[in-house]
Each structure stands twice: as structure tokens, then as C-alpha cells.
């Protein structure tokens, strides 16, 4: 483990914590006072909720519908996680440098469209698009 040095200059550091201001409801009051941020924060909350719920629903659905075992699900989620790490480490920087931040966001959002057929119902569709995993139930 390593420790990074403080990056905030000493003049801007807080001398003492004001516990009166350190509360979760203060963040909601801050958002309410700035109406344009409230919508953005709400959309971001829903986006994060969907991202957190997706693996759980995926595990339950594929286990029930296709009979995937915990081992197969583990391999699948592991591969998904590793591929995400590889993309973030080696692909994001060059893509942003080449097409800009807006272009990279648009590319990422539309890049998921070809994966939609993998979510279509039917064991033959899921079997043919998920790295050769076979369903034990037909």
C-alpha cells in the first residue's frame, strides 16, 4: 500500500471540520437551490441504479432461463469486468485524443447497440453470442 501526498495547497485546506455542514441532507438542499443540477443528478442516480441492478438481474435471469451455473456466470462476469478494465486502460485515452470527449461518449453509447441481439429471448440467440456457453435447459 502507498500513500499519496496531499495535492491541495495549504491555503485552501479546511482547518477544522464543521459538523453542522457535513450532512447528507445538505447535498439535497444544494441540489434544490440549483435547479439545473437537480435534473442532472436525478438522471445520474437512475443511470447508476440501472448499472447496479443489471448484474443482479442478469444472474437471476440466466440462471433461471438458461440454467447457467454459478461457475459459468462467474466466468462471464469476470470476462466482462476484465474487458472493461482493458478498454479503460488502453482504449479510452487514444479514442478521446483522436475524436474528442463528445465523440467518445457518442461512440460508447452507440457501441452497445450491436450487443442488443444478445439480449433477445431464445436459447439459440444467447448461446451463439455469449462465448460458447451452452444452456443446460432447452
Amino acid at each position: 500500500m502507498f500513500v499519496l501526498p496531499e495535492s491541495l495547497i495549504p491555503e485552501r485546506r479546511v482547518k477544522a471540520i464543521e459538523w453542522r455542514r457535513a450532512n447528507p441532507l445538505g447535498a439535497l438542499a444544494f441540489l434544490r437551490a440549483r435547479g439545473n443540477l437537480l435534473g442532472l443528478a436525478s438522471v445520474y442516480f437512475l443511470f447508476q441504479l440501472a448499472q447496479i441492478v443489471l448484474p443482479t438481474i442478469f444472474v437471476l435471469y440466466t440462471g433461471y432461463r438458461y440454467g447457467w451455473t454459478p461457475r459459468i456466470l462467474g466466468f462471464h462476469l469476470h470476462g466482462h469486468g476484465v474487458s472493461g478494465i482493458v478498454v479503460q486502460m488502453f482504449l479510452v485515452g487514444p479514442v478521446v485524443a483522436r475524436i474528442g470527449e463528445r465523440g467518445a461518449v457518442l461512440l460508447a453509447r452507440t457501441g452497445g447497440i450491436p450487443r442488443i441481439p444478445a439480449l433477445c429471448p431464445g436459447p439459440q440467440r444467447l448461446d451463439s453470442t455469449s462465448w460458447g456457453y451452452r444452456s443446460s435447459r432447452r
Side-chain angles (χ1 to χ4, degrees):
M1 192 160 128
F2 60 92
V3 178
L4 296 174
E6 176 62 59
S7 61
L8 189 62
I9 59 174
E11 297 82 35
R12 305 239 9 227
R13 295 182 192 167
V14 175
K15 304 293 184 230
I17 296 175
E18 296 179 39
W19 290 107
R20 203 167 24 103
R21 294 181 57 202
N23 66 54
L25 298 179
L28 295 176
F30 177 82
L31 290 174
R32 192 179 70 226
R34 292 155 183 84
N36 54 349
L37 287 180
L38 183 60
L40 183 63
S42 300
V43 169
Y44 186 72
F45 171 78
L46 293 174
F47 176 76
Q48 288 299 322
L49 181 65
Q51 292 300 315
I52 291 168
V53 168
L54 181 64
T56 304
I57 299 300
F58 177 80
V59 166
L60 294 172
Y61 179 74
T62 55
Y64 173 76
R65 174 73 169 87
Y66 302 108
W68 283 15
T69 64
R71 179 184 168 115
I72 292 173
L73 288 163
F75 283 136
H76 183 80
L77 293 173
H78 175 76
H80 183 74
V82 168
S83 66
I85 291 169
V86 169
V87 165
Q88 290 176 32
M89 286 178 63
F90 301 111
L91 197 60
V92 171
V95 168
V96 169
R98 184 168 184 135
I99 63 176
E101 289 180 4
R102 179 176 164 76
V105 168
L106 293 174
L107 179 65
R109 292 294 98 205
T110 58
I113 292 173
R115 294 184 302 171
I116 291 174
L119 303 175
C120 293
Q124 73 283 353
R125 175 70 70 178
L126 191 60
D127 287 342
S128 65
T129 59
S130 53
W131 301 333
Y133 297 153
R134 297 288 178 219
S135 162
S136 62
R137 281 196 245 177
R138 293 281 175 172

